[in-house]
Amino acid sequence: FDPRVQLGIAQGPMRVGPYGSSRRRTYGVQGPAVNLAARLMMYAAPGEIILDAAVADSAQGLFHVESRGAIAIKGTRRPQAIFAVSEQVAAEKRRFSQPNPTQLVGRTAELAQLLNLLSVAQSGRGALARIEAEPGLGKSRLLDAFAQAARAEPIFLTVATCQITTRDTAYAATRQIGRQLLGLDRPELEDDDTRIAQVEALLQQINPALLPRMPLLSEALRLPIPDNELTRGLDPKSRHEALLALTLEIVQQLAQLQPIVILAEDIHWLDEASAELLATLIRAGTTTSLLIVATHRPPTSQTAALLTKIDELPNQTLIRLSELVDAELITLAVARLRAPLDDLALDFLQAQAQG
Protein backbone atom coordinates (compact mmCIF):
# COMPACT_ATOMS: atom_id res chain seq x y z
CA PHE A 1 0.00 0.00 0.00
CA ASP A 2 1.52 3.30 -1.13
CA PRO A 3 1.96 5.46 2.02
CA ARG A 4 1.12 8.57 -0.02
CA VAL A 5 -2.34 7.34 -1.00
CA GLN A 6 -5.53 8.36 0.86
CA LEU A 7 -8.52 5.99 0.66
CA GLY A 8 -12.17 6.36 1.59
CA ILE A 9 -14.57 3.41 1.45
CA ALA A 10 -18.36 3.57 1.84
CA GLN A 11 -21.16 1.10 1.24
CA GLY A 12 -24.66 1.67 -0.08
CA PRO A 13 -26.95 1.61 -3.15
CA MET A 14 -25.24 2.82 -6.32
CA ARG A 15 -25.94 2.99 -10.02
CA VAL A 16 -23.18 1.40 -12.04
CA GLY A 17 -23.14 1.49 -15.81
CA PRO A 18 -23.20 3.71 -18.89
CA TYR A 19 -25.12 6.95 -18.95
CA GLY A 20 -25.58 9.87 -21.32
CA SER A 21 -27.23 10.26 -24.70
CA SER A 22 -27.14 8.11 -27.82
CA ARG A 23 -24.42 10.38 -29.23
CA ARG A 24 -22.25 10.76 -26.16
CA ARG A 25 -22.05 8.18 -23.40
CA THR A 26 -19.70 7.41 -20.54
CA TYR A 27 -19.43 4.77 -17.82
CA GLY A 28 -19.48 5.58 -14.16
CA VAL A 29 -20.65 4.89 -10.63
CA GLN A 30 -23.17 7.24 -9.04
CA GLY A 31 -24.99 7.45 -5.73
CA PRO A 32 -24.74 8.80 -2.17
CA ALA A 33 -22.20 6.14 -1.16
CA VAL A 34 -19.86 7.27 -3.94
CA ASN A 35 -20.00 10.84 -2.72
CA LEU A 36 -19.48 9.71 0.88
CA ALA A 37 -16.42 7.64 -0.07
CA ALA A 38 -14.93 10.68 -1.80
CA ARG A 39 -15.46 12.80 1.33
CA LEU A 40 -13.93 10.09 3.55
CA MET A 41 -10.89 10.04 1.28
CA MET A 42 -10.40 13.75 1.95
CA TYR A 43 -10.40 13.10 5.71
CA ALA A 44 -7.83 10.30 5.44
CA ALA A 45 -4.20 11.06 6.14
CA PRO A 46 -1.57 9.88 3.63
CA GLY A 47 -1.35 6.09 3.89
CA GLU A 48 -4.65 5.84 5.77
CA ILE A 49 -7.97 4.14 4.96
CA ILE A 50 -11.17 5.68 6.36
CA LEU A 51 -14.43 3.68 6.42
CA ASP A 52 -18.07 4.48 6.97
CA ALA A 53 -20.04 2.57 9.62
CA ALA A 54 -21.40 -0.07 7.21
CA VAL A 55 -17.96 -1.02 5.88
CA ALA A 56 -16.43 -0.91 9.36
CA ASP A 57 -19.06 -3.38 10.56
CA SER A 58 -18.25 -5.77 7.69
CA ALA A 59 -14.53 -5.45 8.36
CA GLN A 60 -14.79 -6.48 12.02
CA GLY A 61 -12.91 -9.73 12.57
CA LEU A 62 -10.96 -9.26 9.33
CA PHE A 63 -9.10 -6.05 10.18
CA HIS A 64 -8.37 -4.03 13.29
CA VAL A 65 -10.81 -1.11 13.07
CA GLU A 66 -10.55 2.03 15.21
CA SER A 67 -13.34 4.58 15.75
CA ARG A 68 -12.49 8.16 14.78
CA GLY A 69 -15.70 9.66 16.14
CA ALA A 70 -18.36 11.39 14.04
CA ILE A 71 -17.87 14.24 11.60
CA ALA A 72 -20.12 16.54 9.59
CA ILE A 73 -19.86 15.72 5.90
CA LYS A 74 -21.16 17.91 3.13
CA GLY A 75 -24.25 16.43 1.53
CA THR A 76 -25.38 14.44 4.59
CA ARG A 77 -28.04 15.46 7.09
CA ARG A 78 -26.36 14.25 10.28
CA PRO A 79 -22.78 13.59 11.48
CA GLN A 80 -21.27 10.41 10.08
CA ALA A 81 -19.33 7.92 12.22
CA ILE A 82 -15.96 7.20 10.65
CA PHE A 83 -13.40 4.49 11.28
CA ALA A 84 -9.76 3.86 10.42
CA VAL A 85 -8.26 0.51 9.42
CA SER A 86 -4.96 -0.61 10.88
CA GLU A 87 -3.46 -4.06 10.41
CA GLN A 88 -5.11 -7.20 9.13
CA VAL A 89 -6.18 -9.84 11.64
CA ALA A 90 -4.18 -13.08 11.29
CA ALA A 91 -5.81 -15.45 8.80
CA GLU A 92 -6.21 -18.28 11.29
CA LYS A 93 -7.99 -15.89 13.65
CA ARG A 94 -10.29 -14.56 10.93
CA ARG A 95 -11.70 -17.86 9.75
CA PHE A 96 -14.91 -18.79 11.55
CA SER A 97 -14.44 -16.06 14.17
CA GLN A 98 -17.70 -14.25 13.36
CA PRO A 99 -21.23 -15.72 13.19
CA ASN A 100 -22.37 -16.26 9.60
CA PRO A 101 -25.62 -14.34 9.04
CA THR A 102 -26.70 -16.53 6.12
CA GLN A 103 -29.02 -19.48 6.64
CA LEU A 104 -27.58 -22.99 6.47
CA VAL A 105 -29.68 -24.84 3.91
CA GLY A 106 -29.79 -28.54 3.08
CA ARG A 107 -26.98 -29.68 5.40
CA THR A 108 -28.84 -30.45 8.62
CA ALA A 109 -27.98 -34.16 8.65
CA GLU A 110 -24.30 -33.53 7.92
CA LEU A 111 -24.07 -30.90 10.67
CA ALA A 112 -25.66 -33.32 13.14
CA GLN A 113 -23.13 -35.95 12.14
CA LEU A 114 -20.23 -33.59 12.85
CA LEU A 115 -21.68 -32.54 16.20
CA ASN A 116 -22.04 -36.19 17.17
CA LEU A 117 -18.35 -36.76 16.37
CA LEU A 118 -17.53 -33.74 18.53
CA SER A 119 -19.44 -35.28 21.43
CA VAL A 120 -17.51 -38.53 21.00
CA ALA A 121 -14.19 -36.65 20.91
CA GLN A 122 -15.08 -34.82 24.11
CA SER A 123 -15.46 -38.22 25.78
CA GLY A 124 -11.84 -39.05 24.89
CA ARG A 125 -12.17 -40.84 21.53
CA GLY A 126 -10.83 -38.71 18.73
CA ALA A 127 -11.44 -39.03 15.01
CA LEU A 128 -11.02 -37.51 11.57
CA ALA A 129 -14.06 -36.19 9.70
CA ARG A 130 -13.66 -35.37 6.01
CA ILE A 131 -16.08 -33.23 4.01
CA GLU A 132 -15.72 -33.91 0.28
CA ALA A 133 -17.45 -31.89 -2.42
CA GLU A 134 -16.87 -30.05 -5.66
CA PRO A 135 -16.22 -26.28 -5.41
CA GLY A 136 -19.35 -24.28 -4.63
CA LEU A 137 -21.35 -27.03 -2.90
CA GLY A 138 -20.96 -25.60 0.59
CA LYS A 139 -17.95 -27.25 2.25
CA SER A 140 -16.83 -24.03 3.92
CA ARG A 141 -20.38 -23.05 4.87
CA LEU A 142 -20.92 -26.39 6.62
CA LEU A 143 -17.56 -26.08 8.33
CA ASP A 144 -18.50 -22.58 9.45
CA ALA A 145 -21.82 -23.78 10.90
CA PHE A 146 -20.01 -26.53 12.77
CA ALA A 147 -17.40 -24.08 14.10
CA GLN A 148 -20.08 -21.73 15.44
CA ALA A 149 -21.86 -24.61 17.19
CA ALA A 150 -18.60 -26.03 18.53
CA ARG A 151 -17.55 -22.70 20.03
CA ALA A 152 -20.39 -23.06 22.52
CA GLU A 153 -18.60 -26.09 23.96
CA PRO A 154 -15.53 -26.05 26.27
CA ILE A 155 -13.03 -26.84 23.51
CA PHE A 156 -9.87 -25.38 21.99
CA LEU A 157 -10.62 -24.59 18.33
CA THR A 158 -7.80 -24.13 15.82
CA VAL A 159 -7.96 -23.38 12.10
CA ALA A 160 -5.62 -24.08 9.19
CA THR A 161 -6.11 -23.18 5.54
CA CYS A 162 -4.16 -25.05 2.85
CA GLN A 163 -3.30 -23.34 -0.42
CA ILE A 164 -1.83 -24.49 -3.70
CA THR A 165 0.96 -21.93 -3.27
CA THR A 166 2.15 -23.56 -0.01
CA ARG A 167 1.76 -27.25 -0.87
CA ASP A 168 5.56 -27.48 -1.27
CA THR A 169 6.29 -25.52 1.92
CA ALA A 170 7.09 -27.86 4.80
CA TYR A 171 4.74 -27.51 7.80
CA ALA A 172 2.75 -24.68 6.14
CA ALA A 173 -0.55 -26.02 7.50
CA THR A 174 0.56 -27.39 10.86
CA ARG A 175 2.49 -24.19 11.56
CA GLN A 176 -0.86 -22.38 11.67
CA ILE A 177 -2.23 -24.97 14.09
CA GLY A 178 0.88 -25.03 16.26
CA ARG A 179 1.00 -21.27 16.66
CA GLN A 180 -2.59 -21.26 17.89
CA LEU A 181 -2.19 -24.24 20.23
CA LEU A 182 0.93 -22.78 21.79
CA GLY A 183 -0.50 -19.27 22.13
CA LEU A 184 1.94 -17.68 19.69
CA ASP A 185 -0.77 -15.68 17.91
CA ARG A 186 -1.28 -13.33 20.85
CA PRO A 187 -0.65 -9.71 19.78
CA GLU A 188 1.59 -8.93 22.75
CA LEU A 189 4.17 -11.46 21.51
CA GLU A 190 5.90 -9.05 19.15
CA ASP A 191 9.20 -10.79 18.40
CA ASP A 192 10.85 -14.22 18.26
CA ASP A 193 12.34 -13.93 21.75
CA THR A 194 8.94 -13.46 23.39
CA ARG A 195 7.44 -16.26 21.30
CA ILE A 196 10.22 -18.66 22.25
CA ALA A 197 9.70 -17.72 25.89
CA GLN A 198 5.98 -18.48 25.48
CA VAL A 199 6.71 -21.97 24.10
CA GLU A 200 9.14 -22.64 26.96
CA ALA A 201 6.63 -21.47 29.57
CA LEU A 202 3.87 -23.64 28.13
CA LEU A 203 6.02 -26.78 27.99
CA GLN A 204 7.13 -26.10 31.55
CA GLN A 205 3.48 -25.91 32.55
CA ILE A 206 2.20 -29.07 30.83
CA ASN A 207 5.28 -31.30 31.20
CA PRO A 208 8.79 -30.04 32.05
CA ALA A 209 10.25 -33.29 30.69
CA LEU A 210 9.47 -32.02 27.18
CA LEU A 211 11.78 -28.99 27.48
CA PRO A 212 15.02 -30.71 26.31
CA ARG A 213 13.31 -31.51 22.99
CA MET A 214 11.97 -27.99 22.47
CA PRO A 215 14.51 -27.16 19.67
CA LEU A 216 12.80 -29.79 17.51
CA LEU A 217 9.92 -27.32 17.10
CA SER A 218 12.15 -24.73 15.44
CA GLU A 219 11.39 -25.49 11.78
CA ALA A 220 7.74 -26.38 12.32
CA LEU A 221 7.05 -23.09 14.12
CA ARG A 222 9.61 -21.07 12.13
CA LEU A 223 11.29 -19.90 15.31
CA PRO A 224 15.09 -19.67 15.85
CA ILE A 225 15.20 -22.02 18.84
CA PRO A 226 18.88 -22.95 19.35
CA ASP A 227 19.83 -26.62 19.38
CA ASN A 228 21.15 -28.29 22.52
CA GLU A 229 23.22 -31.40 23.17
CA LEU A 230 20.21 -33.66 22.70
CA THR A 231 19.10 -32.27 19.32
CA ARG A 232 22.32 -30.99 17.76
CA GLY A 233 23.55 -34.31 16.42
CA LEU A 234 20.27 -35.61 14.98
CA ASP A 235 20.21 -36.38 11.26
CA PRO A 236 17.20 -35.05 9.27
CA LYS A 237 15.26 -38.33 9.38
CA SER A 238 15.77 -38.83 13.11
CA ARG A 239 14.93 -35.20 13.76
CA HIS A 240 11.67 -35.47 11.84
CA GLU A 241 10.65 -38.66 13.65
CA ALA A 242 11.48 -37.03 16.98
CA LEU A 243 9.35 -34.02 16.01
CA LEU A 244 6.38 -36.29 15.24
CA ALA A 245 6.69 -37.91 18.66
CA LEU A 246 7.06 -34.57 20.44
CA THR A 247 4.07 -33.06 18.62
CA LEU A 248 1.91 -36.03 19.60
CA GLU A 249 2.93 -35.71 23.25
CA ILE A 250 2.21 -31.97 23.31
CA VAL A 251 -1.23 -32.41 21.74
CA GLN A 252 -2.10 -35.27 24.10
CA GLN A 253 -1.05 -33.18 27.10
CA LEU A 254 -3.08 -30.17 25.93
CA ALA A 255 -6.11 -32.34 25.09
CA GLN A 256 -6.16 -33.55 28.68
CA LEU A 257 -6.73 -29.96 29.74
CA GLN A 258 -9.36 -29.25 27.07
CA PRO A 259 -10.61 -31.16 24.00
CA ILE A 260 -9.02 -29.93 20.77
CA VAL A 261 -10.81 -29.38 17.46
CA ILE A 262 -8.74 -28.74 14.33
CA LEU A 263 -10.47 -27.34 11.26
CA ALA A 264 -8.41 -27.84 8.10
CA GLU A 265 -9.66 -26.36 4.84
CA ASP A 266 -8.69 -27.65 1.38
CA ILE A 267 -6.42 -30.49 2.49
CA HIS A 268 -6.04 -31.55 -1.12
CA TRP A 269 -3.32 -28.86 -1.04
CA LEU A 270 -1.81 -30.13 2.24
CA ASP A 271 1.99 -30.10 2.33
CA GLU A 272 3.74 -33.43 2.87
CA ALA A 273 5.28 -32.62 6.26
CA SER A 274 1.94 -31.45 7.64
CA ALA A 275 0.25 -34.56 6.24
CA GLU A 276 2.64 -36.77 8.20
CA LEU A 277 2.08 -34.80 11.40
CA LEU A 278 -1.70 -34.94 11.10
CA ALA A 279 -1.57 -38.66 10.25
CA THR A 280 0.41 -39.24 13.44
CA LEU A 281 -2.26 -37.44 15.46
CA ILE A 282 -5.10 -39.33 13.76
CA ARG A 283 -3.53 -42.76 14.37
CA ALA A 284 -3.27 -41.97 18.07
CA GLY A 285 -6.69 -40.33 18.14
CA THR A 286 -8.59 -43.21 19.75
CA THR A 287 -7.15 -42.25 23.13
CA THR A 288 -7.05 -38.47 22.66
CA SER A 289 -9.81 -35.84 22.91
CA LEU A 290 -9.02 -34.60 19.41
CA LEU A 291 -11.34 -34.07 16.44
CA ILE A 292 -9.94 -33.07 13.05
CA VAL A 293 -12.52 -31.83 10.54
CA ALA A 294 -11.11 -31.37 7.05
CA THR A 295 -12.54 -30.27 3.72
CA HIS A 296 -11.32 -31.25 0.27
CA ARG A 297 -12.38 -31.59 -3.33
CA PRO A 298 -12.75 -34.98 -5.04
CA PRO A 299 -9.41 -36.47 -6.12
CA THR A 300 -7.74 -35.24 -9.30
CA SER A 301 -4.52 -36.29 -11.00
CA GLN A 302 -2.70 -33.70 -8.87
CA THR A 303 -4.21 -34.67 -5.52
CA ALA A 304 -5.07 -38.38 -5.81
CA ALA A 305 -1.82 -39.63 -4.24
CA LEU A 306 -2.25 -37.54 -1.08
CA LEU A 307 -5.97 -38.27 -0.69
CA THR A 308 -5.36 -42.01 -1.20
CA LYS A 309 -2.93 -41.96 1.75
CA ILE A 310 -5.53 -40.14 3.84
CA ASP A 311 -8.13 -42.75 2.83
CA GLU A 312 -5.98 -45.39 4.54
CA LEU A 313 -5.99 -43.66 7.94
CA PRO A 314 -8.10 -45.17 10.75
CA ASN A 315 -10.82 -43.52 12.85
CA GLN A 316 -12.35 -41.44 10.07
CA THR A 317 -15.73 -40.52 8.67
CA LEU A 318 -16.22 -39.33 5.09
CA ILE A 319 -19.10 -36.95 4.40
CA ARG A 320 -19.81 -36.37 0.70
CA LEU A 321 -21.97 -33.35 -0.04
CA SER A 322 -24.54 -33.68 -2.81
CA GLU A 323 -26.10 -30.88 -4.85
CA LEU A 324 -28.96 -28.95 -3.31
CA VAL A 325 -32.41 -29.87 -4.58
CA ASP A 326 -34.49 -27.15 -6.23
CA ALA A 327 -36.51 -26.34 -3.11
CA GLU A 328 -33.31 -25.89 -1.06
CA LEU A 329 -31.76 -23.75 -3.77
CA ILE A 330 -34.82 -21.48 -3.79
CA THR A 331 -34.75 -21.19 0.01
CA LEU A 332 -31.06 -20.26 -0.08
CA ALA A 333 -31.48 -17.71 -2.87
CA VAL A 334 -34.40 -15.96 -1.15
CA ALA A 335 -32.50 -15.87 2.15
CA ARG A 336 -29.38 -14.40 0.53
CA LEU A 337 -31.24 -11.83 -1.57
CA ARG A 338 -33.73 -11.04 1.21
CA ALA A 339 -36.51 -10.81 -1.37
CA PRO A 340 -38.83 -13.17 -3.24
CA LEU A 341 -37.89 -14.22 -6.77
CA ASP A 342 -40.21 -14.53 -9.75
CA ASP A 343 -40.46 -17.75 -11.75
CA LEU A 344 -38.18 -16.54 -14.55
CA ALA A 345 -35.42 -15.62 -12.11
CA LEU A 346 -35.77 -18.96 -10.31
CA ASP A 347 -35.57 -20.90 -13.57
CA PHE A 348 -32.44 -18.99 -14.57
CA LEU A 349 -30.85 -19.52 -11.14
CA GLN A 350 -31.56 -23.26 -11.15
CA ALA A 351 -30.14 -23.64 -14.65
CA GLN A 352 -26.96 -21.72 -13.88
CA ALA A 353 -26.24 -22.97 -10.32
CA GLN A 354 -26.98 -26.65 -10.98
CA GLY A 355 -27.36 -27.34 -7.25
Side-chain angles (χ1 to χ4, degrees):
F1 181 54
D2 191 328
R4 299 168 296 178
V5 172
Q6 302 162 238
L7 290 181
I9 306 177
Q11 177 181 327
M14 307 176 200
R15 184 191 183 280
V16 181
Y19 61 94
S21 68
S22 59
R23 300 182 59 185
R24 185 173 182 178
R25 297 170 67 84
T26 187
Y27 187 93
V29 182
Q30 299 177 327
V34 179
N35 300 331
L36 178 57
R39 301 293 181 185
L40 296 179
M41 176 193 67
M42 297 173 62
Y43 280 96
E48 188 175 45
I49 304 173
I50 297 295
L51 315 175
D52 72 347
V55 177
D57 184 61
S58 299
Q60 292 290 347
L62 302 176
F63 297 87
H64 295 287
V65 178
E66 303 169 0
S67 173
R68 292 294 176 84
I71 58 173
I73 294 180
K74 184 179 179 180
T76 60
R77 296 181 178 180
R78 57 179 65 88
Q80 298 289 313
I82 64 172
F83 303 82
V85 176
S86 55
E87 63 183 340
Q88 193 173 25
V89 176
E92 56 268 22
K93 282 289 190 180
R94 297 198 306 270
R95 292 297 288 127
F96 314 117
S97 62
Q98 300 293 322
N100 193 318
T102 61
Q103 180 182 356
L104 180 67
V105 176
R107 307 299 183 205
T108 304
E110 292 88 348
L111 178 59
Q113 196 172 359
L114 292 174
L115 293 174
N116 181 64
L117 290 172
L118 173 60
S119 178
V120 172
Q122 288 176 294
S123 69
R125 291 181 291 141
L128 165 66
R130 292 161 51 199
I131 304 170
E132 178 183 288
E134 295 284 359
L137 288 185
K139 299 186 297 294
S140 294
R141 182 64 186 89
L142 175 58
L143 197 63
D144 179 82
F146 170 71
Q148 300 309 324
R151 285 185 185 279
E153 300 293 324
I155 62 166
F156 194 104
L157 184 71
T158 68
V159 180
T161 301
C162 307
Q163 299 176 349
I164 189 172
T165 54
T166 58
R167 65 181 303 189
D168 296 322
T169 303
Y171 306 109
T174 49
R175 181 174 297 120
Q176 300 171 53
I177 298 166
R179 292 176 68 86
Q180 295 166 70
L181 283 176
L182 300 177
L184 301 181
D185 54 351
R186 297 187 348 234
E188 64 267 25
L189 303 180
E190 298 179 348
D191 53 42
D192 287 340
D193 289 340
T194 56
R195 296 185 187 102
I196 292 172
Q198 164 64 19
V199 176
E200 185 175 7
L202 182 63
L203 296 185
Q204 176 69 40
Q205 177 185 351
I206 62 174
N207 187 357
L210 301 176
L211 285 170
R213 290 182 284 165
M214 180 175 149
L216 297 171
L217 299 171
S218 178
E219 182 182 1
L221 297 176
R222 196 173 284 172
L223 284 176
I225 306 174
D227 275 315
N228 54 32
E229 292 183 6
L230 177 64
T231 62
R232 191 173 295 115
L234 293 175
D235 61 76
K237 181 180 179 181
S238 299
R239 191 180 189 93
H240 179 67
E241 291 173 350
L243 172 62
L244 296 179
L246 175 60
T247 301
L248 177 58
E249 290 183 59
I250 292 174
V251 170
Q252 288 176 329
Q253 293 281 346
L254 292 173
Q256 290 180 14
L257 303 175
Q258 195 170 43
I260 297 172
V261 175
I262 297 174
L263 307 182
E265 281 201 285
D266 296 333
I267 62 166
H268 47 275
W269 302 131
L270 189 64
D271 63 276
E272 184 177 352
S274 292
E276 286 193 60
L277 269 174
L278 291 178
T280 299
L281 297 179
I282 293 164
R283 291 190 184 100
T286 53
T287 58
T288 306
S289 294
L290 169 68
L291 175 62
I292 300 175
V293 183
T295 67
H296 63 84
R297 300 174 187 174
T300 65
S301 58
Q302 287 183 297
T303 63
L306 171 64
L307 293 177
T308 297
K309 290 181 180 179
I310 295 175
D311 278 337
E312 298 169 353
L313 294 173
N315 314 319
Q316 66 171 290
T317 299
L318 177 60
I319 301 173
R320 287 193 172 97
L321 300 186
S322 58
E323 297 177 353
L324 296 176
V325 299
D326 286 350
E328 293 168 340
L329 184 62
I330 293 170
T331 300
L332 178 60
V334 170
R336 292 296 296 268
L337 297 175
R338 300 177 183 176
L341 299 177
D342 59 32
D343 292 340
L344 180 61
L346 289 174
D347 290 342
F348 176 80
L349 184 62
Q350 289 166 349
Q352 295 297 315
Q354 297 181 353

